[in-house]
Amino acid sequence: MSDWPLYFRDNLTLGQVDHPLAVCCLWMKQSRLADSLLPSSFSILGNLYSKDGLNYLLRNVLAQPTIRTILVCGPDLTQSGAALVNLVQLGIDE
């Protein structure tokens, strides 16, 4: 068994682990999306319920160097998706 993902492995849906796409489905049920995607079309699929989860999402993604893209989809009930997009677009402050 691989050591990846580092965090929340039991709460994530794994596809082809060396695929360059990670899917962040925010508040959408993972099974709804996973059932409509081929496992060979993504590396990992998971939720991002809060801004606090950004830390774990980034650690998991950075621990898998083949991931190059994070697809963000689903309802953004807590603005966690907006925080992820802002981090990518604006970076971090001091």
Side-chain angles (χ1 to χ4, degrees), residues 3-6 57-67:
D3 291 338
W4 186 82
L6 304 176
L57 181 149
L58 293 174
R59 287 174 184 231
N60 276 336
V61 167
L62 291 172
Q64 184 66 1
T66 57
I67 294 176

Side-chain angles (χ1 to χ4, degrees), residues 3-56:
D3 291 338
W4 186 82
L6 304 176
Y7 302 96
F8 301 106
R9 182 180 182 83
D10 294 339
N11 297 328
L12 300 167
T13 302
L14 294 179
Q16 180 182 327
V17 294
D18 61 345
H19 197 280
L21 176 67
V23 181
C24 176
C25 60
L26 301 175
W27 281 79
M28 181 188 304
K29 284 186 78 174
Q30 279 186 51
S31 60
R32 180 177 173 201
L33 194 53
D35 291 346
S36 64
L37 296 174
L38 293 173
S40 61
S41 67
F42 64 95
S43 176
I44 192 166
L45 185 151
N47 299 98
L48 181 60
Y49 295 119
S50 73
K51 294 174 189 172
D52 293 335
L54 281 172
N55 180 36
Y56 301 105

